[in-house]
PDB file of all heavy atoms in Angstrom:
ATOM      1  N   THR G 186      -3.550  -3.709 -22.543  1.00 89.00           N
ATOM      2  CA  THR G 186      -2.439  -3.970 -23.460  1.00 89.00           C
ATOM      3  C   THR G 186      -1.487  -2.789 -23.428  1.00 89.00           C
ATOM      4  O   THR G 186      -1.883  -1.655 -23.170  1.00 89.00           O
ATOM      5  CB  THR G 186      -2.934  -4.191 -24.903  1.00 89.00           C
ATOM      6  OG1 THR G 186      -3.484  -2.967 -25.398  1.00 89.00           O
ATOM      7  CG2 THR G 186      -3.982  -5.287 -24.968  1.00 89.00           C
ATOM      8  N   SER G 187      -0.232  -3.080 -23.723  1.00 81.00           N
ATOM      9  CA  SER G 187       0.768  -2.011 -23.755  1.00 81.00           C
ATOM     10  C   SER G 187       0.625  -1.226 -25.058  1.00 81.00           C
ATOM     11  O   SER G 187       0.373  -1.798 -26.106  1.00 81.00           O
ATOM     12  CB  SER G 187       2.160  -2.629 -23.664  1.00 81.00           C
ATOM     13  OG  SER G 187       2.325  -3.614 -24.670  1.00 81.00           O
ATOM     14  N   ARG G 188       0.760   0.075 -24.981  1.00 76.00           N
ATOM     15  CA  ARG G 188       0.713   0.910 -26.196  1.00 76.00           C
ATOM     16  C   ARG G 188       2.093   1.483 -26.411  1.00 76.00           C
ATOM     17  O   ARG G 188       2.529   2.354 -25.692  1.00 76.00           O
ATOM     18  CB  ARG G 188      -0.309   2.027 -26.021  1.00 76.00           C
ATOM     19  CG  ARG G 188      -0.435   2.910 -27.241  1.00 76.00           C
ATOM     20  CD  ARG G 188      -1.854   3.408 -27.394  1.00 76.00           C
ATOM     21  NE  ARG G 188      -2.286   4.223 -26.275  1.00 76.00           N
ATOM     22  CZ  ARG G 188      -2.021   5.530 -26.164  1.00 76.00           C
ATOM     23  NH1 ARG G 188      -1.332   6.144 -27.081  1.00 76.00           N
ATOM     24  NH2 ARG G 188      -2.455   6.214 -25.121  1.00 76.00           N
ATOM     25  N   GLN G 189       2.818   0.942 -27.366  1.00 65.00           N
ATOM     26  CA  GLN G 189       4.181   1.406 -27.614  1.00 65.00           C
ATOM     27  C   GLN G 189       4.332   1.946 -29.033  1.00 65.00           C
ATOM     28  O   GLN G 189       4.471   3.126 -29.240  1.00 65.00           O
ATOM     29  CB  GLN G 189       5.172   0.276 -27.342  1.00 65.00           C
ATOM     30  CG  GLN G 189       5.312   0.014 -25.857  1.00 65.00           C
ATOM     31  CD  GLN G 189       5.861  -1.354 -25.575  1.00 65.00           C
ATOM     32  OE1 GLN G 189       5.192  -2.356 -25.806  1.00 65.00           O
ATOM     33  NE2 GLN G 189       7.074  -1.410 -25.073  1.00 65.00           N
ATOM     34  N   PHE G 190       4.267   1.077 -30.041  1.00 59.00           N
ATOM     35  CA  PHE G 190       4.488   1.555 -31.418  1.00 59.00           C
ATOM     36  C   PHE G 190       3.219   1.411 -32.251  1.00 59.00           C
ATOM     37  O   PHE G 190       3.273   1.276 -33.453  1.00 59.00           O
ATOM     38  CB  PHE G 190       5.579   0.730 -32.096  1.00 59.00           C
ATOM     39  CG  PHE G 190       6.787   0.578 -31.265  1.00 59.00           C
ATOM     40  CD1 PHE G 190       7.129  -0.641 -30.739  1.00 59.00           C
ATOM     41  CD2 PHE G 190       7.578   1.677 -30.997  1.00 59.00           C
ATOM     42  CE1 PHE G 190       8.248  -0.768 -29.957  1.00 59.00           C
ATOM     43  CE2 PHE G 190       8.696   1.554 -30.213  1.00 59.00           C
ATOM     44  CZ  PHE G 190       9.032   0.327 -29.689  1.00 59.00           C
ATOM     45  N   LEU G 191       2.085   1.365 -31.612  1.00 67.00           N
ATOM     46  CA  LEU G 191       0.894   0.894 -32.303  1.00 67.00           C
ATOM     47  C   LEU G 191       0.086   2.048 -32.893  1.00 67.00           C
ATOM     48  O   LEU G 191      -1.086   2.231 -32.570  1.00 67.00           O
ATOM     49  CB  LEU G 191       0.040   0.071 -31.327  1.00 67.00           C
ATOM     50  CG  LEU G 191       0.825  -1.016 -30.574  1.00 67.00           C
ATOM     51  CD1 LEU G 191      -0.059  -1.688 -29.550  1.00 67.00           C
ATOM     52  CD2 LEU G 191       1.377  -2.042 -31.542  1.00 67.00           C
ATOM     53  N   GLY G 192       0.689   2.794 -33.805  1.00 81.00           N
ATOM     54  CA  GLY G 192       0.014   3.957 -34.377  1.00 81.00           C
ATOM     55  C   GLY G 192      -1.284   3.610 -35.074  1.00 81.00           C
ATOM     56  O   GLY G 192      -2.320   4.237 -34.831  1.00 81.00           O
ATOM     57  N   LYS G 193      -1.253   2.587 -35.946  1.00 88.00           N
ATOM     58  CA  LYS G 193      -2.454   2.234 -36.720  1.00 88.00           C
ATOM     59  C   LYS G 193      -3.505   1.575 -35.825  1.00 88.00           C
ATOM     60  O   LYS G 193      -4.699   1.832 -35.961  1.00 88.00           O
ATOM     61  CB  LYS G 193      -2.058   1.298 -37.874  1.00 88.00           C
ATOM     62  CG  LYS G 193      -3.184   1.033 -38.854  1.00 88.00           C
ATOM     63  CD  LYS G 193      -3.678   2.328 -39.483  1.00 88.00           C
ATOM     64  CE  LYS G 193      -4.881   2.090 -40.369  1.00 88.00           C
ATOM     65  NZ  LYS G 193      -5.512   3.355 -40.807  1.00 88.00           N
ATOM     66  N   THR G 194      -3.040   0.742 -34.901  1.00 89.00           N
ATOM     67  CA  THR G 194      -3.977   0.119 -33.960  1.00 89.00           C
ATOM     68  C   THR G 194      -4.712   1.202 -33.184  1.00 89.00           C
ATOM     69  O   THR G 194      -5.940   1.159 -33.017  1.00 89.00           O
ATOM     70  CB  THR G 194      -3.208  -0.799 -32.983  1.00 89.00           C
ATOM     71  OG1 THR G 194      -2.583  -1.829 -33.739  1.00 89.00           O
ATOM     72  CG2 THR G 194      -4.129  -1.418 -31.953  1.00 89.00           C
ATOM     73  N   ARG G 195      -3.951   2.178 -32.757  1.00 88.00           N
ATOM     74  CA  ARG G 195      -4.527   3.298 -31.999  1.00 88.00           C
ATOM     75  C   ARG G 195      -5.576   4.042 -32.836  1.00 88.00           C
ATOM     76  O   ARG G 195      -6.679   4.318 -32.369  1.00 88.00           O
ATOM     77  CB  ARG G 195      -3.366   4.236 -31.625  1.00 88.00           C
ATOM     78  CG  ARG G 195      -3.748   5.481 -30.935  1.00 88.00           C
ATOM     79  CD  ARG G 195      -4.014   5.231 -29.488  1.00 88.00           C
ATOM     80  NE  ARG G 195      -5.164   6.023 -29.069  1.00 88.00           N
ATOM     81  CZ  ARG G 195      -6.060   5.633 -28.193  1.00 88.00           C
ATOM     82  NH1 ARG G 195      -5.969   4.445 -27.651  1.00 88.00           N
ATOM     83  NH2 ARG G 195      -7.043   6.408 -27.842  1.00 88.00           N
ATOM     84  N   ALA G 196      -5.210   4.353 -34.089  1.00 91.00           N
ATOM     85  CA  ALA G 196      -6.130   5.092 -34.967  1.00 91.00           C
ATOM     86  C   ALA G 196      -7.397   4.270 -35.214  1.00 91.00           C
ATOM     87  O   ALA G 196      -8.513   4.803 -35.194  1.00 91.00           O
ATOM     88  CB  ALA G 196      -5.438   5.418 -36.285  1.00 91.00           C
ATOM     89  N   ASN G 197      -7.235   2.968 -35.423  1.00 94.00           N
ATOM     90  CA  ASN G 197      -8.405   2.117 -35.650  1.00 94.00           C
ATOM     91  C   ASN G 197      -9.326   2.086 -34.429  1.00 94.00           C
ATOM     92  O   ASN G 197     -10.550   2.130 -34.563  1.00 94.00           O
ATOM     93  CB  ASN G 197      -7.972   0.690 -35.989  1.00 94.00           C
ATOM     94  CG  ASN G 197      -7.480   0.559 -37.421  1.00 94.00           C
ATOM     95  OD1 ASN G 197      -7.566   1.515 -38.203  1.00 94.00           O
ATOM     96  ND2 ASN G 197      -6.957  -0.599 -37.773  1.00 94.00           N
ATOM     97  N   LEU G 198      -8.718   1.989 -33.242  1.00 93.00           N
ATOM     98  CA  LEU G 198      -9.542   1.917 -32.026  1.00 93.00           C
ATOM     99  C   LEU G 198     -10.328   3.217 -31.816  1.00 93.00           C
ATOM    100  O   LEU G 198     -11.437   3.188 -31.271  1.00 93.00           O
ATOM    101  CB  LEU G 198      -8.673   1.622 -30.806  1.00 93.00           C
ATOM    102  CG  LEU G 198      -8.110   0.199 -30.742  1.00 93.00           C
ATOM    103  CD1 LEU G 198      -7.094   0.076 -29.621  1.00 93.00           C
ATOM    104  CD2 LEU G 198      -9.227  -0.831 -30.564  1.00 93.00           C
ATOM    105  N   ASP G 199      -9.758   4.328 -32.247  1.00 92.00           N
ATOM    106  CA  ASP G 199     -10.493   5.590 -32.144  1.00 92.00           C
ATOM    107  C   ASP G 199     -11.724   5.578 -33.045  1.00 92.00           C
ATOM    108  O   ASP G 199     -12.764   6.161 -32.722  1.00 92.00           O
ATOM    109  CB  ASP G 199      -9.586   6.774 -32.516  1.00 92.00           C
ATOM    110  CG  ASP G 199      -8.579   7.073 -31.416  1.00 92.00           C
ATOM    111  OD1 ASP G 199      -8.798   6.603 -30.277  1.00 92.00           O
ATOM    112  OD2 ASP G 199      -7.580   7.761 -31.696  1.00 92.00           O
ATOM    113  N   GLU G 200     -11.608   4.893 -34.205  1.00 94.00           N
ATOM    114  CA  GLU G 200     -12.731   4.833 -35.149  1.00 94.00           C
ATOM    115  C   GLU G 200     -13.706   3.706 -34.818  1.00 94.00           C
ATOM    116  O   GLU G 200     -14.899   3.815 -35.066  1.00 94.00           O
ATOM    117  CB  GLU G 200     -12.198   4.567 -36.575  1.00 94.00           C
ATOM    118  CG  GLU G 200     -11.346   5.672 -37.140  1.00 94.00           C
ATOM    119  CD  GLU G 200     -10.787   5.323 -38.515  1.00 94.00           C
ATOM    120  OE1 GLU G 200     -11.121   4.247 -39.066  1.00 94.00           O
ATOM    121  OE2 GLU G 200     -10.025   6.122 -39.039  1.00 94.00           O
ATOM    122  N   ASN G 201     -13.136   2.623 -34.285  1.00 96.00           N
ATOM    123  CA  ASN G 201     -13.908   1.393 -34.103  1.00 96.00           C
ATOM    124  C   ASN G 201     -13.316   0.655 -32.908  1.00 96.00           C
ATOM    125  O   ASN G 201     -12.194   0.155 -32.988  1.00 96.00           O
ATOM    126  CB  ASN G 201     -13.785   0.554 -35.396  1.00 96.00           C
ATOM    127  CG  ASN G 201     -14.330  -0.853 -35.239  1.00 96.00           C
ATOM    128  OD1 ASN G 201     -15.074  -1.157 -34.305  1.00 96.00           O
ATOM    129  ND2 ASN G 201     -13.961  -1.732 -36.156  1.00 96.00           N
ATOM    130  N   PRO G 202     -14.007   0.606 -31.777  1.00 96.00           N
ATOM    131  CA  PRO G 202     -13.385   0.110 -30.528  1.00 96.00           C
ATOM    132  C   PRO G 202     -13.214  -1.401 -30.451  1.00 96.00           C
ATOM    133  O   PRO G 202     -12.795  -1.909 -29.414  1.00 96.00           O
ATOM    134  CB  PRO G 202     -14.364   0.604 -29.461  1.00 96.00           C
ATOM    135  CG  PRO G 202     -15.689   0.653 -30.147  1.00 96.00           C
ATOM    136  CD  PRO G 202     -15.403   1.034 -31.577  1.00 96.00           C
ATOM    137  N   ARG G 203     -13.514  -2.144 -31.525  1.00 97.00           N
ATOM    138  CA  ARG G 203     -13.433  -3.602 -31.442  1.00 97.00           C
ATOM    139  C   ARG G 203     -12.022  -4.098 -31.759  1.00 97.00           C
ATOM    140  O   ARG G 203     -11.363  -3.564 -32.656  1.00 97.00           O
ATOM    141  CB  ARG G 203     -14.421  -4.235 -32.404  1.00 97.00           C
ATOM    142  CG  ARG G 203     -15.873  -3.930 -32.068  1.00 97.00           C
ATOM    143  CD  ARG G 203     -16.762  -4.667 -33.037  1.00 97.00           C
ATOM    144  NE  ARG G 203     -18.160  -4.512 -32.705  1.00 97.00           N
ATOM    145  CZ  ARG G 203     -19.009  -3.794 -33.427  1.00 97.00           C
ATOM    146  NH1 ARG G 203     -18.580  -3.146 -34.494  1.00 97.00           N
ATOM    147  NH2 ARG G 203     -20.272  -3.721 -33.065  1.00 97.00           N
ATOM    148  N   ALA G 204     -11.611  -5.122 -31.069  1.00 96.00           N
ATOM    149  CA  ALA G 204     -10.309  -5.752 -31.337  1.00 96.00           C
ATOM    150  C   ALA G 204     -10.409  -7.228 -31.006  1.00 96.00           C
ATOM    151  O   ALA G 204     -11.315  -7.658 -30.270  1.00 96.00           O
ATOM    152  CB  ALA G 204      -9.215  -5.097 -30.497  1.00 96.00           C
ATOM    153  N   GLN G 205      -9.502  -8.004 -31.571  1.00 97.00           N
ATOM    154  CA  GLN G 205      -9.415  -9.421 -31.189  1.00 97.00           C
ATOM    155  C   GLN G 205      -7.947  -9.757 -30.943  1.00 97.00           C
ATOM    156  O   GLN G 205      -7.077  -9.351 -31.715  1.00 97.00           O
ATOM    157  CB  GLN G 205      -9.968 -10.327 -32.289  1.00 97.00           C
ATOM    158  CG  GLN G 205     -10.040 -11.781 -31.859  1.00 97.00           C
ATOM    159  CD  GLN G 205     -10.629 -12.689 -32.932  1.00 97.00           C
ATOM    160  OE1 GLN G 205      -9.967 -13.024 -33.902  1.00 97.00           O
ATOM    161  NE2 GLN G 205     -11.894 -13.065 -32.749  1.00 97.00           N
ATOM    162  N   VAL G 206      -7.678 -10.462 -29.843  1.00 96.00           N
ATOM    163  CA  VAL G 206      -6.310 -10.924 -29.574  1.00 96.00           C
ATOM    164  C   VAL G 206      -6.330 -12.427 -29.326  1.00 96.00           C
ATOM    165  O   VAL G 206      -7.364 -13.001 -28.965  1.00 96.00           O
ATOM    166  CB  VAL G 206      -5.662 -10.223 -28.352  1.00 96.00           C
ATOM    167  CG1 VAL G 206      -5.555  -8.726 -28.548  1.00 96.00           C
ATOM    168  CG2 VAL G 206      -6.395 -10.557 -27.066  1.00 96.00           C
ATOM    169  N   VAL G 207      -5.172 -13.034 -29.538  1.00 95.00           N
ATOM    170  CA  VAL G 207      -4.986 -14.447 -29.206  1.00 95.00           C
ATOM    171  C   VAL G 207      -3.863 -14.522 -28.177  1.00 95.00           C
ATOM    172  O   VAL G 207      -2.795 -13.930 -28.377  1.00 95.00           O
ATOM    173  CB  VAL G 207      -4.637 -15.281 -30.458  1.00 95.00           C
ATOM    174  CG1 VAL G 207      -4.286 -16.716 -30.063  1.00 95.00           C
ATOM    175  CG2 VAL G 207      -5.804 -15.279 -31.440  1.00 95.00           C
ATOM    176  N   VAL G 208      -4.121 -15.196 -27.068  1.00 93.00           N
ATOM    177  CA  VAL G 208      -3.103 -15.355 -26.025  1.00 93.00           C
ATOM    178  C   VAL G 208      -2.784 -16.837 -25.848  1.00 93.00           C
ATOM    179  O   VAL G 208      -3.613 -17.694 -26.156  1.00 93.00           O
ATOM    180  CB  VAL G 208      -3.547 -14.741 -24.669  1.00 93.00           C
ATOM    181  CG1 VAL G 208      -3.746 -13.242 -24.797  1.00 93.00           C
ATOM    182  CG2 VAL G 208      -4.814 -15.415 -24.152  1.00 93.00           C
ATOM    183  N   MET G 209      -1.587 -17.101 -25.366  1.00 88.00           N
ATOM    184  CA  MET G 209      -1.158 -18.496 -25.230  1.00 88.00           C
ATOM    185  C   MET G 209      -0.561 -18.761 -23.851  1.00 88.00           C
ATOM    186  O   MET G 209       0.185 -17.931 -23.321  1.00 88.00           O
ATOM    187  CB  MET G 209      -0.102 -18.810 -26.287  1.00 88.00           C
ATOM    188  CG  MET G 209       0.410 -20.234 -26.206  1.00 88.00           C
ATOM    189  SD  MET G 209       1.959 -20.419 -27.072  1.00 88.00           S
ATOM    190  CE  MET G 209       1.339 -20.862 -28.654  1.00 88.00           C
ATOM    191  N   ASP G 210      -0.882 -19.908 -23.292  1.00 85.00           N
ATOM    192  CA  ASP G 210      -0.280 -20.334 -22.024  1.00 85.00           C
ATOM    193  C   ASP G 210       1.122 -20.881 -22.317  1.00 85.00           C
ATOM    194  O   ASP G 210       1.257 -21.837 -23.082  1.00 85.00           O
ATOM    195  CB  ASP G 210      -1.155 -21.426 -21.385  1.00 85.00           C
ATOM    196  CG  ASP G 210      -0.637 -21.841 -20.019  1.00 85.00           C
ATOM    197  OD1 ASP G 210       0.569 -22.152 -19.899  1.00 85.00           O
ATOM    198  OD2 ASP G 210      -1.429 -21.853 -19.079  1.00 85.00           O
ATOM    199  N   PRO G 211       2.167 -20.282 -21.721  1.00 78.00           N
ATOM    200  CA  PRO G 211       3.525 -20.718 -22.064  1.00 78.00           C
ATOM    201  C   PRO G 211       3.849 -22.114 -21.555  1.00 78.00           C
ATOM    202  O   PRO G 211       4.805 -22.733 -22.009  1.00 78.00           O
ATOM    203  CB  PRO G 211       4.406 -19.668 -21.387  1.00 78.00           C
ATOM    204  CG  PRO G 211       3.574 -19.125 -20.274  1.00 78.00           C
ATOM    205  CD  PRO G 211       2.156 -19.195 -20.737  1.00 78.00           C
ATOM    206  N   GLY G 212       3.061 -22.611 -20.612  1.00 76.00           N
ATOM    207  CA  GLY G 212       3.335 -23.945 -20.100  1.00 76.00           C
ATOM    208  C   GLY G 212       2.707 -25.024 -20.953  1.00 76.00           C
ATOM    209  O   GLY G 212       3.353 -25.998 -21.345  1.00 76.00           O
ATOM    210  N   SER G 213       1.438 -24.840 -21.309  1.00 78.00           N
ATOM    211  CA  SER G 213       0.702 -25.884 -22.007  1.00 78.00           C
ATOM    212  C   SER G 213       0.568 -25.623 -23.504  1.00 78.00           C
ATOM    213  O   SER G 213       0.260 -26.531 -24.266  1.00 78.00           O
ATOM    214  CB  SER G 213      -0.699 -25.992 -21.406  1.00 78.00           C
ATOM    215  OG  SER G 213      -1.444 -24.823 -21.707  1.00 78.00           O
ATOM    216  N   GLY G 214       0.775 -24.398 -23.941  1.00 82.00           N
ATOM    217  CA  GLY G 214       0.563 -24.057 -25.349  1.00 82.00           C
ATOM    218  C   GLY G 214      -0.905 -23.809 -25.666  1.00 82.00           C
ATOM    219  O   GLY G 214      -1.265 -23.536 -26.813  1.00 82.00           O
ATOM    220  N   GLU G 215      -1.766 -23.881 -24.670  1.00 86.00           N
ATOM    221  CA  GLU G 215      -3.197 -23.662 -24.897  1.00 86.00           C
ATOM    222  C   GLU G 215      -3.448 -22.211 -25.322  1.00 86.00           C
ATOM    223  O   GLU G 215      -2.882 -21.279 -24.765  1.00 86.00           O
ATOM    224  CB  GLU G 215      -3.941 -23.946 -23.598  1.00 86.00           C
ATOM    225  CG  GLU G 215      -5.440 -24.019 -23.758  1.00 86.00           C
ATOM    226  CD  GLU G 215      -6.097 -24.554 -22.488  1.00 86.00           C
ATOM    227  OE1 GLU G 215      -6.090 -23.849 -21.469  1.00 86.00           O
ATOM    228  OE2 GLU G 215      -6.588 -25.686 -22.542  1.00 86.00           O
ATOM    229  N   GLN G 216      -4.324 -22.049 -26.362  1.00 90.00           N
ATOM    230  CA  GLN G 216      -4.590 -20.716 -26.886  1.00 90.00           C
ATOM    231  C   GLN G 216      -6.031 -20.296 -26.614  1.00 90.00           C
ATOM    232  O   GLN G 216      -6.944 -21.126 -26.658  1.00 90.00           O
ATOM    233  CB  GLN G 216      -4.379 -20.683 -28.395  1.00 90.00           C
ATOM    234  CG  GLN G 216      -2.975 -20.998 -28.847  1.00 90.00           C
ATOM    235  CD  GLN G 216      -2.898 -20.896 -30.360  1.00 90.00           C
ATOM    236  OE1 GLN G 216      -2.752 -19.812 -30.906  1.00 90.00           O
ATOM    237  NE2 GLN G 216      -3.013 -22.023 -31.027  1.00 90.00           N
ATOM    238  N   HIS G 217      -6.200 -18.997 -26.380  1.00 93.00           N
ATOM    239  CA  HIS G 217      -7.536 -18.441 -26.236  1.00 93.00           C
ATOM    240  C   HIS G 217      -7.685 -17.208 -27.107  1.00 93.00           C
ATOM    241  O   HIS G 217      -6.736 -16.426 -27.256  1.00 93.00           O
ATOM    242  CB  HIS G 217      -7.824 -18.085 -24.768  1.00 93.00           C
ATOM    243  CG  HIS G 217      -8.056 -19.284 -23.914  1.00 93.00           C
ATOM    244  ND1 HIS G 217      -7.016 -19.972 -23.320  1.00 93.00           N
ATOM    245  CD2 HIS G 217      -9.202 -19.934 -23.576  1.00 93.00           C
ATOM    246  CE1 HIS G 217      -7.520 -20.999 -22.654  1.00 93.00           C
ATOM    247  NE2 HIS G 217      -8.840 -21.004 -22.790  1.00 93.00           N
ATOM    248  N   GLU G 218      -8.874 -17.077 -27.679  1.00 94.00           N
ATOM    249  CA  GLU G 218      -9.204 -15.938 -28.532  1.00 94.00           C
ATOM    250  C   GLU G 218     -10.113 -15.020 -27.721  1.00 94.00           C
ATOM    251  O   GLU G 218     -11.126 -15.461 -27.174  1.00 94.00           O
ATOM    252  CB  GLU G 218      -9.945 -16.475 -29.761  1.00 94.00           C
ATOM    253  CG  GLU G 218     -10.237 -15.489 -30.839  1.00 94.00           C
ATOM    254  CD  GLU G 218     -10.957 -16.213 -31.976  1.00 94.00           C
ATOM    255  OE1 GLU G 218     -10.273 -16.800 -32.839  1.00 94.00           O
ATOM    256  OE2 GLU G 218     -12.216 -16.224 -31.979  1.00 94.00           O
ATOM    257  N   LEU G 219      -9.716 -13.735 -27.643  1.00 96.00           N
ATOM    258  CA  LEU G 219     -10.477 -12.774 -26.844  1.00 96.00           C
ATOM    259  C   LEU G 219     -11.040 -11.688 -27.759  1.00 96.00           C
ATOM    260  O   LEU G 219     -10.273 -11.016 -28.455  1.00 96.00           O
ATOM    261  CB  LEU G 219      -9.573 -12.106 -25.787  1.00 96.00           C
ATOM    262  CG  LEU G 219      -9.264 -12.845 -24.482  1.00 96.00           C
ATOM    263  CD1 LEU G 219      -8.552 -14.162 -24.725  1.00 96.00           C
ATOM    264  CD2 LEU G 219      -8.412 -11.965 -23.568  1.00 96.00           C
TER     265      LEU G 219
END
Side-chain angles (χ1 to χ4, degrees):
Chain G
T186 67
S187 54
R188 181 147 62 84
Q189 287 159 291
F190 312 111
L191 310 175
K193 188 59 185 170
T194 298
R195 176 79 220 144
N197 283 354
L198 289 171
D199 286 343
E200 295 177 4
N201 169 17
R203 296 183 175 110
Q205 187 178 76
V206 299
V207 173
V208 297
M209 179 198 269
D210 184 309
S213 68
E215 191 170 69
Q216 298 181 82
H217 287 86
E218 187 179 275
L219 279 61

